[in-house]
Amino acid sequence: MSPVCGLTRALLGILLLLQPVLGIPAADVLPRAAASVCNGWAEYCSRSYSSVTFVGSHDSAFVGDLPQQNQNLDVTAQLNMGIRFLQAQTHHSLFDDNVLELCHTSCLLEDAGTLKSFLGTVKAFLDANANEVVTLLLTNGDSVSITEFGSTFSSSGIDSYAFAPSSSPLSIGDWPTIGDLISSGKRLVVFLDYGADTSKVNYILDEFAYYFETPYDVTDSSFSGCSIDRPSGASASGRMYIVNHFLDVDILGVKVPDRDAAATTNAATGKGSIGAQAAVCEALYNRAPNVVLADFVDKGNVIEAQNELNGF
C-alpha cells in the first residue's frame, strides 16, 4: 500500500469515528456526484420537479381484498414497480394518542399500521436506491400538531432524506431538478394537506400552497372533468396540480373503490383512461398534471401512462 493510500484510509477512519460527535451526515445522504439516470430516466436528471408527472398510489397503505382497501400490492412492491408518489391517510391510534396510524377514515374501519413503520419502509427503499426521488402526500385527519409528524419522521430516521426548500412556499418555477435532489441527498419530498407549519418542521410542506386538486369520489367512469375542487376558490396559476383518477362505485349510498374497473380506469389510453383525463386537464390548464392518483396501481398500464405523459 502506498503512503498516500494509507493516509487516506486513516483519515476516512478518523472521520467515521468522529461522525456522531461532529454531526457529519451519514454516507447515504451526503451530496453525491451528478447522477446519469434519475428515477429510471436520464431525461429526468435535468427536469425540474415541478415539470414531472408522477402517477401516484392513492391510499397506498390500504392493501387487500376488502371493499375499503385501495391497493393490491404492498408499498415496497409499489415502489419496486416504479411508483414514486405515495398518498396515505393518518389518524391518531385508538390505543395510544401519541402514535400516528395509517387509517382509512377511522381506525375502526381500516388500520394499516403505524406511520413510523410506513416511513421505515420508504426509507429502506431510499437506502437501497440512490438515484430515486420519492414524494409522500399525507392527510391529517385528526388535526394533529405538526410537531408530532416531525417527531415521527425523526424517530424513523427518514428526515435526513427530506427536502426543505430555501423559501416557503417555493415558486413553481424555482423547484430543483430531479438530478439536483439526488445529488444533494435530499430525495424525499413531503406534503401534508392540513396543519403544515414550516417554521416548526421545515421539510413538511403545505399541500395546498403548492397544489390544487380535482374532485375525488368520482363515480363517472368517463372522467370527463378536471375542475378545481380544493382548495376552494383557488387559481390554477402558480400551482402544481393533482388529478384524482380513481373510480368509486356507489353501494347503498357508500362509495367504495371500483376494483372491477381498475384495468380500464388505469389504462394509458382509451375512454376513461389516465391518458384521456390528462388530456382534458392539459387542455384546460395548458400543462400536464403533476400527479395522477390511482387505485390498484398494478392494474392497467400506470407506468406506461406516466411515461407517455412525460414524453417518453
Side-chain angles (χ1 to χ4, degrees), residues 13-146:
I14 291 169
L15 284 172
L16 287 171
L17 288 171
L18 291 177
Q19 179 180 311
V21 177
L22 298 177
I24 300 170
D28 58 358
V29 293
L30 281 169
R32 305 170 56 244
S36 59
V37 176
C38 304
N39 279 22
W41 292 85
E43 290 86 348
Y44 283 141
C45 294
S46 58
R47 191 175 296 186
S48 72
Y49 178 89
S50 58
S51 299
V52 173
T53 299
F54 300 95
V55 171
S57 173
H58 170 244
D59 283 340
S60 59
F62 304 144
V63 178
D65 298 325
L66 297 176
Q68 73 271 19
Q69 293 167 330
N70 303 76
Q71 301 297 335
N72 295 318
L73 302 180
D74 65 28
V75 169
T76 297
Q78 292 172 37
L79 290 166
N80 287 338
M81 71 169 281
I83 297 297
R84 296 293 176 267
F85 192 106
L86 301 171
Q87 186 267 346
Q89 297 185 35
T90 69
H91 291 268
H92 268 139
S93 166
L94 293 174
F95 306 104
D96 186 345
D97 205 42
N98 295 314
V99 174
L100 289 171
E101 300 272 328
L102 302 183
C103 298
H104 199 309
T105 309
S106 164
C107 292
L108 292 172
L109 175 65
E110 173 73 14
D111 189 336
T114 66
L115 175 60
K116 182 177 178 180
S117 176
F118 173 80
L119 295 176
T121 298
V122 178
K123 182 180 183 296
F125 177 82
L126 291 171
D127 288 343
N129 296 274
N131 286 356
E132 304 294 325
V133 174
V134 173
T135 302
L136 302 180
L137 170 57
L138 303 178
T139 70
N140 187 4
D142 292 339
S143 300
V144 174
S145 167
I146 190 62

Side-chain angles (χ1 to χ4, degrees), residues 191-210:
F191 297 96
L192 185 68
D193 64 346
Y194 299 109
D197 184 345
T198 52
S199 70
K200 295 179 179 177
V201 181
N202 65 351
Y203 56 83
I204 299 181
L205 310 181
D206 178 356
E207 176 195 357
F208 295 119
Y210 288 92

Side-chain angles (χ1 to χ4, degrees), residues 116-250:
K116 182 177 178 180
S117 176
F118 173 80
L119 295 176
T121 298
V122 178
K123 182 180 183 296
F125 177 82
L126 291 171
D127 288 343
N129 296 274
N131 286 356
E132 304 294 325
V133 174
V134 173
T135 302
L136 302 180
L137 170 57
L138 303 178
T139 70
N140 187 4
D142 292 339
S143 300
V144 174
S145 167
I146 190 62
T147 57
E148 289 190 48
F149 283 94
S151 295
T152 305
F153 272 75
S154 179
S155 65
S156 75
I158 202 172
D159 60 322
S160 60
Y161 281 120
F163 167 71
S166 55
S167 61
S168 191
L170 192 66
S171 167
I172 193 171
D174 289 337
W175 278 87
T177 65
I178 301 297
D180 288 340
L181 290 169
I182 290 169
S183 62
S184 71
K186 302 302 182 181
R187 299 187 285 116
L188 180 74
V189 184
V190 185
F191 297 96
L192 185 68
D193 64 346
Y194 299 109
D197 184 345
T198 52
S199 70
K200 295 179 179 177
V201 181
N202 65 351
Y203 56 83
I204 299 181
L205 310 181
D206 178 356
E207 176 195 357
F208 295 119
Y210 288 92
Y211 291 102
F212 68 85
E213 283 192 21
T214 66
Y216 57 95
D217 286 342
V218 174
T219 57
D220 171 14
S221 62
S222 68
F223 286 97
S224 57
C226 199
S227 60
I228 298 174
D229 182 62
R230 296 186 297 169
S232 178
S235 167
S237 178
R239 281 186 172 89
M240 298 181 284
Y241 71 103
I242 296 171
V243 175
N244 289 310
H245 188 81
F246 44 91
L247 186 65
D248 285 348
V249 58
D250 193 317

